[in-house]
Amino acid sequence: MAAKEAGRPSASRKASTSRGESRSRAKRSGPETTAAPTRLTLSMLTPAPGSTQSRKRVGRGPGSGLGKTSGKGNKGHKARTGGSTNPGFEGGQMPMYRRLPKRGFTNPFRVEAQVVNLTDLKKLSAGDISPETLYSAGLIGKPDSKVKLLGTGEADRSYTVRGLALSASARAKIEAAGGKIEA
């Protein structure tokens, strides 16, 4: 009986492995077993293994390893709430931003003008120049903000300028070419 029992498992093992091998070979080589590709959706996406870690739970008792002082040590500046130094802190030495002298003034109400040169006006087909025509030609980025025309280059034809600030040299060159400047 022991011989029969000992023989049976080995026979069944052989049979199962031979059947399993033939099935796997059939699956790999057979063209009829190609499955339709599944569509990738956002719910299927997961982070790469090992790229995410669980949150540090500090101050939850001595057994956690980060209890009592929560990994900050005893006392001191870095143990306090918001405990880090300001960006210019130099360990108590007088910081650079307080050692250097301060000079000058920055006007908070300054308005930057968009600059267009006379040489750029050659790209325009019309002789009428306004912020809208300069914007449609791609010479300025915002049609609503201030635009100033500078005198670099020459006025190749007579222009009619409306709604722009002009430098003195640009004004002289446009008037010399027979152009008009309207407010």
Side-chain angles (χ1 to χ4, degrees), residues 8-182:
R8 278 188 189 163
S10 63
S12 63
R13 261 191 239 130
K14 265 188 187 175
S16 65
T17 53
S18 64
R19 274 191 225 132
E21 287 172 7
S22 63
R23 283 182 190 158
S24 61
R25 282 188 199 132
K27 283 182 184 176
R28 277 182 266 165
S29 61
E32 65 276 357
T33 58
T34 55
T38 57
R39 186 174 184 163
L40 185 68
T41 60
L42 289 175
S43 62
M44 296 173 155
L45 297 176
T46 56
S51 66
T52 58
Q53 296 175 351
S54 58
R55 180 175 71 87
K56 256 190 202 180
R57 296 185 68 231
V58 297
R60 297 294 184 274
S64 67
L66 289 170
K68 194 185 168 205
T69 55
S70 303
K72 293 187 171 212
N74 293 316
K75 302 184 183 177
H77 196 168
K78 290 197 249 179
R80 310 296 184 207
T81 304
S84 62
T85 56
N86 61 332
F89 187 70
E90 296 185 19
Q93 173 177 298
M94 187 60 66
M96 182 71 79
Y97 70 89
R98 288 185 62 195
R99 275 180 285 170
L100 295 176
K102 276 74 176 171
R103 291 205 46 185
F105 170 74
T106 303
N107 184 3
F109 305 108
R110 178 181 174 170
V111 178
E112 283 280 332
Q114 299 177 85
V115 176
V116 179
N117 286 308
L118 283 176
T119 55
D120 299 331
L121 297 182
K122 293 176 184 174
K123 297 176 184 175
L124 295 173
S125 57
D128 186 43
I129 299 170
S130 66
E132 290 77 25
T133 57
L134 293 173
Y135 177 73
S136 61
L139 295 175
I140 58 173
K142 299 180 216 167
D144 301 336
S145 59
K146 188 177 178 182
V147 181
K148 185 163 187 175
L149 190 61
L150 301 181
T152 305
E154 293 298 321
D156 58 341
R157 57 183 181 264
S158 66
Y159 294 109
T160 305
V161 180
R162 287 190 189 92
L164 299 178
L166 287 97
S167 67
S169 61
R171 183 181 294 271
K173 289 179 183 179
I174 288 173
E175 288 173 347
K180 290 187 287 179
I181 296 162
E182 299 175 6

